[in-house]
Amino acid sequence: MTFSVALSPEFHSAVTTRSFPELGWISKVYVNRPAVVRHAEQIKKWKTLKGNWQAAWLLKAVTCIDLTTLSGDDTPSNVQRLCFKAKHPIREDLLKALDMHDKGITAAAVCVYPARVSDAVNTLKAAGCNIPVASVAAGFPSGQTPLETKLAEIKLAVEYGAREIDIVISRSLVLTGQWEGLYEEIRLCRAACGEAHMKTILATGELGSLANVYKASMIAMMAGSDFIKTSTGKEVENATFPVGVVMMRAIKEYYWQTGYKVGFKPAGGIRTAKEAITWLMLVKEELGVEWLTPELFRLGASSLLGDIEQQIFYYVTGSYPLQHDLAMA
């Protein structure tokens, strides 16, 4: 598969020093869109795993899910329910049938709005669970919020107990070519996060081109992001394989140049077990098995876990569950 991204020597100098002395190189970035699209079409045709292999990959997917609720009608009770589902994502008897009941399988994190962080933290603490709470911040989902307000929101979420912060960039900075401004915004957000991990949402469906996706990915990593994330889940177009390939190629290039491993999180529109496995396989192909851990790969999803548990139920019992057979998330 032919995929080309043209970068100048100035880029290598900037990324190696993990600084941003100048931005002349960014205008020379080129992404071969037809090659990326062809590769994405091939990905869709990959064979579906069966049997033991499918069950193993599905359990791996569970451990990488940021179990999410981002609704205007979220309440303490539905956040509590989500937290208990994160601790027990798969029915205990199903895990015993797979001899995985003692392997500590949980979701990777619980993701909520800042106002619900305390509810999630208190629930998980009461349950004796160390699952981290992630909070969206920085003007999620539109990013159309003054920078001072974004930074204050991040600090409040951390103060409430969030150990991970999913910020969202100002798309206008990308669309108008204000790369220095984008770098500075993300750098300040990173500082506001303190010890919390920061995932930077690029909202790729609103960036206009794959070249912009690559540029924004690089700048986000250079500004200190621990993860780069495709989408808020609120855009018309969310996680797609073409943007996934471009973002992972950026992560690979950044790792080659600096030795820093940055995580990847596709989010939005990932609803089926088959899609989850395909994303895992794509990460394995593009970045390697070392990225297939919750420390470097997450799936942002709200309804995905339900389909995965149904598929595992079918694998164990030979039939699909009735509506009352599985706990609500």
Side-chain angles (χ1 to χ4, degrees):
M1 189 269 292
T2 303
F3 177 96
S4 60
V5 177
L7 299 172
S8 71
E10 293 93 336
F11 160 76
H12 297 288
S13 173
V15 77
T16 302
T17 58
R18 203 168 166 84
S19 61
F20 222 122
E22 59 83 30
L23 284 170
W25 60 270
I26 204 165
S27 64
K28 302 173 185 177
V29 169
Y30 167 73
V31 174
N32 187 337
R33 180 179 177 84
V36 175
V37 172
R38 283 198 302 271
H39 185 43
E41 290 302 316
Q42 293 170 1
I43 293 167
K44 294 177 183 178
K45 298 176 183 178
W46 285 350
K47 292 183 179 179
T48 303
L49 297 172
K50 300 292 184 181
N52 291 340
W53 286 105
Q54 183 188 50
W57 280 75
L58 288 178
L59 290 178
K60 168 62 73 173
V62 168
T63 66
C64 295
I65 290 177
D66 282 357
L67 199 57
T68 303
T69 181
L70 296 171
S71 300
D73 58 355
D74 282 338
T75 62
S77 61
N78 79 292
V79 170
Q80 289 168 2
R81 188 170 67 242
L82 192 76
C83 289
F84 283 115
K85 188 62 179 177
K87 184 181 179 182
H88 303 287
I90 305 296
R91 248 175 47 176
E92 187 72 11
D93 61 319
L94 299 178
L95 291 177
K96 285 183 178 179
L98 297 171
D99 195 26
M100 295 295 289
H101 59 286
D102 58 351
K103 299 300 189 291
I105 291 178
T106 68
V110 171
C111 185
V112 295
Y113 275 118
R116 300 269 71 88
V117 167
S118 295
D119 298 329
V121 169
N122 293 335
T123 300
L124 291 169
K125 183 177 180 181
C129 185
N130 196 39
I131 296 173
V133 174
S135 175
V136 295
F140 180 94
S142 69
Q144 299 285 0
T145 303
L147 181 58
E148 294 80 6
T149 305
K150 292 181 179 182
L151 299 179
E153 186 178 34
I154 292 170
K155 291 175 182 177
L156 279 174
V158 173
E159 183 181 320
Y160 295 156
R163 288 157 53 188
E164 301 178 0
I165 301 294
D166 289 30
I167 70 162
V168 58
I169 67 169
S170 299
R171 275 74 105 190
S172 63
L173 296 175
V174 175
L175 296 173
T176 58
Q178 298 182 63
W179 304 109
E180 294 93 342
L182 179 64
Y183 174 82
E184 185 64 12
E185 177 182 88
I186 298 173
R187 186 189 68 80
L188 291 172
C189 289
R190 171 65 268 184
C193 287
E195 295 184 2
H197 282 204
M198 186 177 81
K199 308 187 198 88
T200 299
I201 306 171
L202 304 182
T204 54
E206 297 178 347
L207 296 189
S209 70
L210 291 179
N212 278 345
V213 170
Y214 192 93
K215 295 172 186 179
S217 297
M218 278 297 180
I219 289 176
M221 290 186 286
M222 295 176 73
S225 302
D226 298 293
F227 268 74
I228 52 175
K229 176 179 171 182
T230 61
S231 321
T232 66
K234 309 292 187 181
E235 296 94 72
V236 174
E237 181 180 277
N238 294 291
T240 66
F241 294 133
V243 299
V245 170
V246 170
M247 291 172 70
M248 282 186 262
R249 293 294 173 93
I251 290 172
K252 184 187 298 183
E253 178 70 22
Y254 189 77
Y255 173 63
W256 284 344
Q257 296 299 325
T258 68
Y260 287 94
K261 292 180 179 178
V262 175
F264 172 66
K265 179 179 175 179
I270 304 173
R271 297 183 176 88
T272 68
K274 181 179 179 181
E275 289 174 303
I277 290 177
T278 303
W279 278 107
L280 285 165
M281 294 173 68
L282 181 58
V283 170
K284 179 177 180 292
E285 177 180 284
E286 292 289 340
L287 297 172
V289 293
E290 62 267 35
W291 256 264
L292 290 178
T293 67
E295 289 72 33
L296 289 171
F297 177 67
R298 298 288 180 85
L299 287 160
S302 55
S303 59
L304 170 63
L305 180 56
D307 189 61
I308 289 178
E309 193 172 17
Q310 286 188 45
Q311 298 305 319
I312 291 176
F313 187 99
Y314 180 83
Y315 174 72
V316 171
T317 68
S319 61
Y320 283 105
L322 299 175
Q323 190 169 9
H324 63 269
D325 284 329
L326 301 177
M328 292 173 60

